Every structure is written in structure tokens, then in C-alpha cells.
Amino acid sequence: MAKPILYGADYSVYVRIARMTLEEKGIGYELVPLDIFAAEDVPAWYLEHHPFGRIPAFEHDGFRLFETSAIARYIDEAFEGPELQPADPRGRARMSQIAGMLDAYGYRAMVWDVAVERLEKAPADEGLIAGGLRQAETVLKVLTSLKAKGSWLLGDGITLADLHAAPIIGYFIKVAEGRDMLGRFADIQEWYARIAARPSFARTEKVA
Ligand SMILES: N[C@@H](CCC(=O)N[C@@H](CS)C(=O)NCC(=O)O)C(=O)O
């Protein structure tokens, strides 16, 4: 089978979700650099891979995909390696719910409104940060309530839910407010320490 190709940049949390999935499956892949925030417009050729100009986009043997959850599922189902989705319908539904919740309510608030705003803006918009923190707190509360017993979000086996959550929370805790808040959610903090110790996490760390 041909090596899959991922288009994107190592700073992106969504690219990291897809890369962690490839790493956990033990699949070699090519990362084609695509800096979506470069001063120049998104190149026309890339819009054929992702018409909305976001990263990542994925390609395997001529099969093209965008949307990270779809990419992660394809990687899990099309390749040999450890299974990263629960076998039962309720576990799968929970997995999709967690990824969907993080996409809809977690990503913008935790990554952009809190972390990017604090790290990159001077002066930072404190109202935006405060709103982001309020939403982040709800996300962490819900994650705590949805977390199953066991090492991982859905129980004893690592799944795509863990791989979806780790890069988003990893970005959130780049800033003190994020670290302080995570510290108030002991179960999620312990889970995060566990996933941050995976080789897939270290191997997808942004190169400085
Ligand atoms: N729904 C998309 C979201 C991807 C996404 O938003 N990626 C960010 C980087 S982490 C991006 O490309 N942002 C560019 C922009 O907002 O213009 C997915 O699941 O892949």
C-alpha cells in the first residue's frame, strides 16, 4: 500500500490529531508542509485538496479527504494496527460526541480565545480570554462527566477520542490560565499526563 500523505503544518492541533492517529497505528506517512497562515494566499493547488483552505488534508492512493475526524476514522479502518475505535455502538457514539464537542465548543475557545490570544496578542483582549475560559470550563466539566473508568477517555483502550482531545488541551495549557484550570479537573489532568507520555505525542510536538 502506498504511504499516505498529510498536508499541513506542525503547529496545527488538527494536523497533530491526524498525525497522532498515524503514529498510534504505526503507519509511515509523508507530511507535505502547508502553512495556512502564511502571508501569501492559500495556493490554488491546495484548494483542490481542501476547498475551505484549512489544514489538514489527506491523500491515500488517490483517495482524498478533509475533516480530521473523517481522516482519523479512515486511517483506523483502512490500515493494519491497533484498533482505535470502540467496538460497541455506545462507545463509538461517545467517541463521536467527544470529538464533535471539542470541535464545536472547545477548539475556538481553548486554542484561539485563550492560548493564542494570551501568547500572541499585545495587548490581549481580556474579554475574549475570559469568555474562552468560561467555555473551556464547561468543556472540561463535560469531559470529566463523560470520561469512563480506566486510563483513557472511553475506558481501558486508547481511542480516537483521546487523540482528538490531547492536542487541543495541550495547546490550552501552553498558558498559565489553561494550566491552572486543568489543575482543577484532576481526572482530566491525570489522563492528560498519561497521553502526553505517549511516543505519538512526543513525535508530533511542534519543532521549535
Ligand atoms: N473542521 C476542520 C478544522 C480544521 C482547522 O480549523 N484547522 C486550522 C488549523 S488547526 C486551520 O486550518 N485554520 C486556518 C484558518 O482558520 O484559516 C477539521 O476537522 O479538519
Side-chain angles (χ1 to χ4, degrees):
M1 246 201 257
K3 252 190 191 180
I5 303 170
L6 198 66
Y7 299 86
D10 62 0
Y11 58 70
S12 154
V13 300
Y14 281 104
V15 171
R16 193 174 191 187
I17 294 166
R19 292 178 71 201
M20 282 185 72
T21 308
L22 289 156
E23 295 283 348
E24 288 288 340
K25 290 296 274 192
I27 301 164
Y29 63 97
E30 186 187 347
L31 180 64
V32 174
L34 200 291
D35 182 3
I36 212 70
F37 297 114
E40 311 84 59
D41 287 344
V42 177
W45 65 264
Y46 184 65
L47 293 175
E48 289 176 20
H49 291 266
H50 198 313
F52 299 95
R54 300 253 174 139
I55 49 176
F58 175 88
E59 187 168 351
H60 178 229
D61 257 338
F63 176 64
R64 289 181 178 180
L65 264 184
F66 61 87
E67 287 305 301
T68 303
S69 283
I71 294 169
R73 275 182 127 115
Y74 176 80
I75 293 167
D76 188 39
E77 290 167 15
F79 294 88
E80 300 289 317
E83 292 195 358
L84 298 173
Q85 299 178 79
D88 64 303
R90 290 186 181 188
R92 281 191 186 231
R94 201 56 95 206
M95 184 190 77
S96 298
Q97 183 188 20
I98 289 174
M101 173 186 75
L102 289 163
D103 289 346
Y105 313 112
Y107 169 68
R108 167 94 7 219
M110 297 170 112
V111 173
W112 286 95
D113 296 352
V114 176
V116 174
E117 190 64 26
R118 177 64 75 218
L119 289 169
E120 292 182 18
K121 305 288 165 60
D125 179 338
E126 298 298 335
L128 193 62
I129 293 176
L133 286 169
R134 274 195 300 277
Q135 176 115 322
E137 187 161 26
T138 305
V139 168
L140 291 172
K141 266 186 200 154
V142 175
L143 215 47
T144 301
S145 73
L146 293 180
K147 188 183 174 308
K149 284 203 176 70
S151 296
W152 305 107
L153 291 178
L154 300 180
D156 292 329
I158 193 165
T159 68
L160 300 182
D162 301 291
L163 307 180
H164 212 94
I168 294 175
I169 294 180
Y171 213 102
F172 180 60
I173 63 165
K174 280 176 186 279
V175 298
E177 289 108 320
R179 287 191 293 277
D180 291 349
M181 185 175 287
L182 184 64
R184 301 206 301 274
F185 292 89
D187 286 355
I188 304 302
Q189 190 177 38
E190 281 167 27
W191 161 86
Y192 181 76
R194 219 169 279 129
I195 193 139
R198 300 285 287 193
S200 65
F201 196 78
R203 287 168 61 88
T204 56
E205 196 84 63
K206 179 183 178 309
V207 184

